[in-house]
Amino acid sequence: MADRTSPPPRPESAPTRSWWGWGASDRALSDAECASLAALVPGATEAALPVPAVASLELPPVRVSAPAALARLLSSAPADRAAHTYGKAFRDVVRALYGEMAAAPDLVARPRDERDVVDLLDWAAGAGVAVVPYGAGSSVVGGVEYRAGNHRGVLSLDLSRLDRVLEIDRVSRAALIQAGALGPGLESQLRPHGLTLRHFPQSFAFSTLGGWLATRAGGHYATLHTHIDDLVESLRVVTPTGVSQSLRVPGSGAGPSPDRLFLGSEGTLGIITEAWMRLQDRPSHKASASVVFERFPDAVDTVRAIAQSGLHPANCRLLDPGEAALSGVASGGGGSVLVLGVESAHGPVDGRLAELVALARDHGGSPAERSSASGDSASGDSAATAWRSAFLRMPYIRDGLARMSVISETFETACTWDRFPELYEAAHREVGAAVKKVTGASGLVNCRFTHVYPDGPATYFTVIAPGRRGAEVAMWDEIKAAAMETLGKQGATVTHHHAVGRDHRPGYDRQRPEPFALALRAAKQALDPAGILNPGVLFDAPTV
Amino acid sequence: MADRTSPPPRPESAPTRSWWGWGASDRALSDAECASLAALVPGATEAALPVPAVASLELPPVRVSAPAALARLLSSAPADRAAHTYGKAFRDVVRALYGEMAAAPDLVARPRDERDVVDLLDWAAGAGVAVVPYGAGSSVVGGVEYRAGNHRGVLSLDLSRLDRVLEIDRVSRAALIQAGALGPGLESQLRPHGLTLRHFPQSFAFSTLGGWLATRAGGHYATLHTHIDDLVESLRVVTPTGVSQSLRVPGSGAGPSPDRLFLGSEGTLGIITEAWMRLQDRPSHKASASVVFERFPDAVDTVRAIAQSGLHPANCRLLDPGEAALSGVASGGGGSVLVLGVESAHGPVDGRLAELVALARDHGGSPAERSSASGDSASGDSAATAWRSAFLRMPYIRDGLARMSVISETFETACTWDRFPELYEAAHREVGAAVKKVTGASGLVNCRFTHVYPDGPATYFTVIAPGRRGAEVAMWDEIKAAAMETLGKQGATVTHHHAVGRDHRPGYDRQRPEPFALALRAAKQALDPAGILNPGVLFDAPTV
């Protein structure tokens, strides 16, 4: 039987969140660091954009007020409104730096329980106020930014008070977790039980369980259980027409899956408030290795062989030559680098790693580094640590580059193996041409695999190029449009794990089968007849 | 790039399908075999119900006729109508034996291509004719039996002519397969390419890809990829409002999954005509073992440990003492039997099997048998072969028992591990009491695990008890209602892989979250406004 847990320890010194940029304020780059970074980008500007003080921001007037009974849940403080205006895409950060705050929500709501969420939706539906679920605001696709323009007001819904692990079923290895829990907070509540959700997106520290579920986030595992979808036992969702609670079972064939309708619904069909999640035992054995390839196609063949081998490595990240150089894990010889990791809670994994390395060698790879560790404190090895550290630092560097008006952004996709070589070529050729046309510089278009499947890779592209001050957003938008055009032509998805939001709507609309769109719009109308939930995401905003 | 395949070899001597019972006519039990089987069931009748000749059946008059352009696709021959009246549940077989044919469809359609399917749906929607997708008719939940009563006619849609593997992508290990392909037919088309779908439900030879997809069938793998859902890359679905073609990608986070809406929709939202399916390399190494346990709870603990170990055995079937005795795989000591199987296309699996057996021994199991084989002809070992043979023979025995008026049926479910002990006790106690009340005899209530997950088992119950001639269906319905009541009370799903159909509607309706039901009904209305698709399944039939 499941145990109700006692109230959790408060997270150890939660960081102060940056209102304008990624993550923790105290980790943002200094002006000097920004400048030295930009020195590496030919054509970059020389002075960093200043970070405006919140007090200096011009926020639009608050247009709505809620009944007194809800007042204690609501804030219209400028700092709250500013911090809840945008996600954390390059274009969000740049607009924040320029103090463009027209999209600021009127109110920020922090409900304490499900009843509060119900009351807030009831009020909003009656008042014609849009409700934009915020998660922890790390959307990079315009998922938390209101743009529809015709609601009577906008409420940003922040579930940060719903951050508890409520119940743990040790025997089934599952827990009931509130949707507002941040990665570190939920892991710290699971740790005393020897359990872990082991879902570590790049945004881990600054995103919530509810956000992961609503956007079908990609996580730690490079193979097998890549999306959070597979870790879900059941969901509890507050919709404007009632609370949906799915049956908590390990598997079912009873009709279309209710959970799969809400997974990926990005706050348009309801507010996920709780989920029973499948957990893992904490891994006690880890091993990792890196392998260098002179020829990128050999590396791709290796990864395909690994993905089809049934060996299921936890990490299997391939960096193309440009990305390897950028990440500081290149060998110096300009090759591609494959980072492999294996882990287990049950026994040694060195044999499995040896099989993976042998596969890589068979395909022309040169093993560069290998290490293993066991015991509960297993912290991995230097290659994995270097990679992870660069990976977590990257968004702060992106913000530093943004302050130097350097375009620094990513797009990601997935396609089947048969299409990958052409996609890779086309992305470099076409997005490279767009970068050249827009910026006049060659810039960088790098590629890595973040997750791999037996039938194809999830591919992540990084674009870096000098921008012109004041035109950064328009320039990126033009490059991004070229990228979306390329993905569409290549039959690759507009997003593997960044969600659709508002930014990917054109490409998404083209790829979504029209009968499914009909069905989904009908479902939306049934659950949210007033059209208040995250208008503009997945669906056109209603004309209110 | 994917290759278009050449037309397939016709299946080697397709068996003649039984119109009234399971599978191939020539494998049905003789009268003498029926009688000797029934001798094992105390209280059974002594004479076998005769199998009526099709010519003797009283079929209701055909009420509708289609336009001439569709006539070549349609049959109103009594043999076709009789064979398409029911699925293959115990209650279906018994009613066929009694010649109860009131539910016979007016017409059976065998479209040759997608265009035909579109034309048939267009005509049916205009004419108020219900369309019941037949698959290959092995539904055991009333999924193919029209009961609504208020349509102007009923068309049984049989896709048996759409049985080709159209395209193979060897590099991504995927194939585009038509929905009417039966298991053996699609495997024989994949075999020359060294590939296999490796989806082997008990009904493998008598069910179709489209049926598996529409019902979220459970397959070969006891762990990891248990449902066919995970093997789907993309679906093509003809709905009354248009053709839905999802993007063929290995993974995506672009909104709620379109495929997951149609998976499990049981023909109520559209007709699945083609699917890109993920394939496997043909396994070249197999090993299996059986382990006997004196105490059933030890066996359950073992299976849980295995399911949570990450070892992913292909087979992990646990038979409780009654089921082990019934299947002929018991050791004689009355214990529970765990059948384990491991397979790989890449290398030896004996090490993995040894780990599994060691786990079982640690939990009090006694390894009884173990064998391994390698090479492409690897056919497994005696324990696995004995199990598989009994497994495939079982439905014919069920039919033989039905002819002796012996109630012989199953129900299946899934629940989390924390709830399993109570579910097991409750099912034996409450369903056993219902058997006693209804039949006056003790009967058998046996249990096995068909699939297992880290968070719980899929549990399959077999019920055998003597029935009264003429009252078999009513008696089973009463027992089944008790079983559904038990599952509901225990928080276990009404079906893990048999689908909802019409028989599981009451339990399904209670377990389906009401907001999701609202959304799904809206989707149904959008895709099938005339309410012609499989009325009564998942949704109440419209009042036409």
Side-chain angles (χ1 to χ4, degrees):
Chain A
M1 290 290 108
D3 300 317
R4 281 271 151 188
T5 62
S6 48
R10 284 291 110 185
E12 52 286 339
S13 68
T16 304
R17 291 293 302 279
S18 170
W19 76 266
W20 64 275
W22 186 259
S25 291
D26 61 3
R27 294 196 59 196
L29 270 56
S30 67
D31 287 9
E33 286 171 316
C34 292
S36 50
L37 258 185
L40 305 175
V41 182
T45 56
E46 288 178 10
L49 277 169
V51 177
V54 169
S56 74
L57 296 172
E58 286 182 31
L59 296 168
V62 174
R63 298 165 293 175
V64 285
S65 63
L70 297 176
R72 72 194 182 292
L73 310 176
L74 299 171
S75 165
S76 56
D80 279 331
R81 295 178 65 205
H84 288 75
T85 302
Y86 294 125
K88 299 299 182 192
F90 170 77
R91 64 198 309 287
D92 300 334
V93 170
V94 170
R95 289 181 297 165
L97 287 172
Y98 282 111
E100 293 173 16
M101 288 286 127
D106 298 276
L107 299 166
V108 174
R110 293 190 177 85
R112 301 153 313 170
D113 53 29
E114 178 181 295
R115 184 70 246 168
D116 286 345
V117 176
V118 171
D119 291 344
L120 287 163
L121 291 195
D122 283 351
W123 167 69
V129 169
V131 175
V132 179
Y134 182 69
S138 63
S139 170
V140 291
V141 295
V144 301
E145 175 194 347
Y146 179 78
R147 295 183 198 158
N150 49 11
H151 287 80
R152 291 185 41 219
V154 177
L155 178 80
S156 178
L157 188 64
D158 180 331
L159 298 194
S160 52
R161 285 180 179 172
L162 301 180
D163 65 349
R164 285 193 52 197
V165 173
L166 295 175
E167 211 170 325
I168 287 180
D169 173 358
R170 189 65 187 81
V171 67
S172 312
R173 292 199 323 200
L176 176 62
I177 309 178
Q178 289 184 305
L182 294 165
L186 72 85
E187 286 293 340
S188 73
Q189 293 174 71
L190 296 174
R191 195 172 297 116
H193 304 270
L195 293 168
T196 168
L197 179 60
R198 232 160 162 63
H199 183 77
F200 302 130
Q202 193 173 21
S203 61
F204 174 69
F206 309 105
S207 55
T208 63
L209 175 65
W212 302 339
L213 295 166
T215 60
R216 300 175 65 193
H220 169 66
Y221 293 110
T223 65
L224 212 54
H225 298 309
T226 58
H227 281 96
I228 198 152
D229 312 32
D230 292 324
L231 307 180
V232 175
E233 271 186 352
S234 71
L235 295 182
R236 191 166 177 91
V237 187
V238 175
T239 81
T241 52
V243 178
S244 179
Q245 171 66 61
S246 61
L247 194 67
R248 186 197 156 212
V249 285
S252 178
S257 163
D259 294 340
R260 298 278 181 168
L261 180 67
F262 291 111
L263 291 168
S265 65
E266 303 188 19
T268 63
L269 302 179
I271 310 296
I272 298 168
T273 53
E274 293 175 8
W276 270 100
M277 299 299 298
R278 301 191 174 109
L279 305 175
Q280 317 283 317
D281 293 314
R282 301 184 69 80
S284 49
H285 300 265
K286 296 183 188 176
S288 70
S290 58
V291 183
V292 177
F293 292 84
E294 277 185 35
R295 284 170 30 84
F296 185 62
D298 290 344
V300 173
D301 286 348
T302 299
V303 173
R304 180 167 68 85
I306 287 172
Q308 296 179 346
S309 70
L311 291 168
H312 305 313
N315 197 359
C316 183
R317 277 195 166 72
L318 175 61
L319 315 174
D320 81 352
E323 185 74 359
L326 188 69
S327 300
V329 299
S331 60
S336 310
V337 177
L338 173 61
V339 182
L340 292 167
V342 191
E343 58 182 47
S344 168
H346 304 284
V349 289
D350 304 272
R352 195 139 55 97
L353 184 67
E355 285 188 69
L356 292 164
V357 170
L359 261 174
R361 202 192 303 264
D362 289 350
H363 285 82
S366 307
E369 245 194 299
R370 191 155 144 191
S371 62
S372 65
S374 61
D376 193 43
S377 65
S379 60
D381 59 283
S382 63
T385 307
W387 157 257
R388 186 163 180 274
S389 158
F391 180 63
L392 295 178
R393 187 76 183 141
M394 198 60 78
Y396 294 102
I397 291 174
R398 191 274 318 263
D399 287 355
L401 288 170
R403 291 188 58 207
M404 304 305 294
S405 299
V406 173
I407 294 164
S408 172
E409 190 47 295
T410 65
F411 62 96
E412 43 83 54
T413 186
C415 67
T416 46
W417 290 111
D418 60 321
R419 292 170 179 227
F420 173 72
E422 198 177 320
L423 170 71
Y424 183 77
E425 288 305 319
H428 280 83
R429 187 177 61 245
E430 295 168 11
V431 179
V435 167
K436 181 84 187 170
K437 172 171 171 254
V438 169
T439 70
S442 298
L444 295 179
V445 181
N446 294 334
C447 173
R448 67 176 190 262
F449 292 169
T450 60
H451 304 80
V452 292
Y453 301 87
D455 51 340
T459 310
Y460 203 96
F461 291 93
T462 302
V463 178
I464 299 180
R468 283 188 309 283
R469 186 134 291 177
E472 299 93 333
V473 169
M475 292 170 84
W476 168 247
D477 285 351
E478 193 174 340
I479 296 167
K480 175 73 176 263
M484 289 295 108
E485 179 77 16
T486 297
L487 298 184
K489 278 192 297 185
Q490 297 295 326
T493 175
V494 293
T495 176
H496 173 264
H497 60 267
H498 277 176
V500 174
R502 293 166 178 87
D503 294 349
H504 289 155
R505 275 294 304 287
Y508 171 69
D509 287 7
R510 280 193 294 273
Q511 294 188 338
R512 181 170 61 177
E514 192 47 39
F516 177 70
L518 268 178
L520 203 57
R521 280 192 287 264
K524 164 81 173 171
Q525 176 66 28
L527 294 179
D528 178 25
I532 55 165
L533 288 179
N534 220 2
V537 169
L538 298 186
F539 309 95
D540 290 338
T543 39
V544 184
Chain B
M1 289 290 109
D3 300 319
R4 280 270 150 190
T5 62
S6 48
R10 284 290 110 185
E12 51 287 338
S13 68
T16 304
R17 292 292 302 280
S18 170
W19 77 266
W20 63 275
W22 187 257
S25 290
D26 61 3
R27 294 195 60 194
L29 272 55
S30 68
D31 287 9
E33 287 172 314
C34 292
S36 52
L37 257 186
L40 305 173
V41 182
T45 56
E46 288 176 11
L49 277 169
V51 176
V54 169
S56 74
L57 296 172
E58 289 181 28
L59 296 167
V62 173
R63 297 164 294 175
V64 285
S65 63
L70 296 177
R72 71 194 183 294
L73 309 176
L74 299 170
S75 166
S76 58
D80 279 330
R81 295 178 64 205
H84 288 76
T85 302
Y86 294 127
K88 300 299 181 193
F90 170 77
R91 63 199 309 288
D92 300 333
V93 169
V94 169
R95 288 180 298 165
L97 288 170
Y98 282 112
E100 294 174 13
M101 288 286 126
D106 298 276
L107 300 166
V108 174
R110 293 187 177 86
R112 302 153 311 169
D113 53 28
E114 178 181 293
R115 184 70 246 168
D116 287 346
V117 176
V118 170
D119 291 345
L120 288 162
L121 291 195
D122 283 350
W123 167 70
V129 169
V131 175
V132 179
Y134 183 68
S138 63
S139 170
V140 291
V141 294
V144 300
E145 174 194 349
Y146 179 78
R147 293 181 198 160
N150 47 13
H151 288 80
R152 291 184 43 217
V154 177
L155 178 80
S156 177
L157 188 63
D158 180 331
L159 298 195
S160 53
R161 286 180 180 171
L162 301 180
D163 64 350
R164 284 192 53 197
V165 173
L166 296 175
E167 210 171 324
I168 288 181
D169 173 0
R170 189 65 186 81
V171 66
S172 312
R173 292 199 324 201
L176 176 62
I177 309 177
Q178 290 184 304
L182 294 164
L186 72 86
E187 286 292 340
S188 72
Q189 293 175 70
L190 297 174
R191 196 172 295 116
H193 304 270
L195 293 168
T196 168
L197 180 61
R198 232 162 162 61
H199 183 78
F200 303 128
Q202 192 173 23
S203 61
F204 174 69
F206 309 105
S207 54
T208 64
L209 175 65
W212 302 339
L213 295 167
T215 61
R216 301 176 66 193
H220 169 66
Y221 294 110
T223 64
L224 211 53
H225 298 310
T226 58
H227 281 97
I228 198 152
D229 313 32
D230 291 325
L231 307 180
V232 176
E233 270 185 351
S234 70
L235 295 181
R236 191 167 176 89
V237 187
V238 176
T239 80
T241 51
V243 177
S244 178
Q245 171 67 61
S246 61
L247 193 67
R248 187 198 156 212
V249 285
S252 179
S257 163
D259 294 340
R260 298 277 180 168
L261 180 67
F262 291 110
L263 292 169
S265 65
E266 303 189 22
T268 62
L269 303 179
I271 310 296
I272 298 168
T273 54
E274 293 175 7
W276 271 100
M277 299 298 298
R278 301 190 174 111
L279 305 175
Q280 316 283 317
D281 293 313
R282 300 184 69 80
S284 50
H285 300 264
K286 295 182 188 177
S288 71
S290 58
V291 183
V292 178
F293 292 84
E294 277 186 36
R295 285 169 29 85
F296 185 61
D298 291 343
V300 173
D301 286 347
T302 299
V303 173
R304 180 167 69 84
I306 288 172
Q308 296 180 346
S309 71
L311 291 168
H312 305 312
N315 197 359
C316 183
R317 276 194 167 70
L318 175 62
L319 311 151
D320 81 350
E323 186 75 358
L326 188 70
S327 301
V329 299
S331 60
S336 309
V337 177
L338 173 60
V339 181
L340 291 167
V342 191
E343 59 183 46
S344 168
H346 304 284
V349 290
D350 304 271
R352 195 139 55 99
L353 185 68
E355 285 188 67
L356 293 164
V357 170
L359 261 175
R361 201 193 305 265
D362 289 349
H363 286 82
S366 308
E369 245 193 301
R370 189 154 145 191
S371 62
S372 65
S374 61
D376 193 43
S377 65
S379 59
D381 60 284
S382 62
T385 307
W387 157 255
R388 186 164 180 272
S389 158
F391 180 63
L392 295 176
R393 188 78 184 138
M394 199 60 79
Y396 294 101
I397 291 173
R398 191 275 315 264
D399 287 356
L401 289 168
R403 291 188 56 208
M404 304 305 294
S405 300
V406 173
I407 295 164
S408 171
E409 190 47 295
T410 64
F411 61 96
E412 42 83 55
T413 187
C415 67
T416 45
W417 289 112
D418 60 320
R419 291 171 179 224
F420 174 73
E422 196 176 323
L423 170 71
Y424 183 77
E425 289 304 319
H428 280 84
R429 186 176 63 245
E430 295 168 12
V431 180
V435 168
K436 182 83 187 171
K437 171 170 172 257
V438 170
T439 71
S442 297
L444 295 178
V445 181
N446 294 334
C447 173
R448 67 176 189 264
F449 292 169
T450 62
H451 305 79
V452 291
Y453 302 86
D455 50 339
T459 311
Y460 203 96
F461 292 93
T462 301
V463 177
I464 299 181
R468 281 187 312 282
R469 188 135 289 175
E472 299 92 334
V473 168
M475 292 169 82
W476 167 247
D477 285 350
E478 193 174 340
I479 295 166
K480 175 74 176 263
M484 289 295 108
E485 179 76 17
T486 297
L487 297 185
K489 278 191 298 186
Q490 297 295 326
T493 174
V494 292
T495 177
H496 172 264
H497 60 268
H498 277 176
V500 174
R502 294 168 177 86
D503 294 351
H504 288 155
R505 275 293 305 286
Y508 171 69
D509 287 5
R510 278 193 296 272
Q511 293 188 339
R512 181 169 60 177
E514 193 47 37
F516 177 70
L518 269 178
L520 202 57
R521 280 193 287 266
K524 165 81 172 170
Q525 176 66 28
L527 294 179
D528 177 25
I532 55 166
L533 287 179
N534 221 3
V537 168
L538 298 186
F539 308 95
D540 289 340
T543 40
V544 184

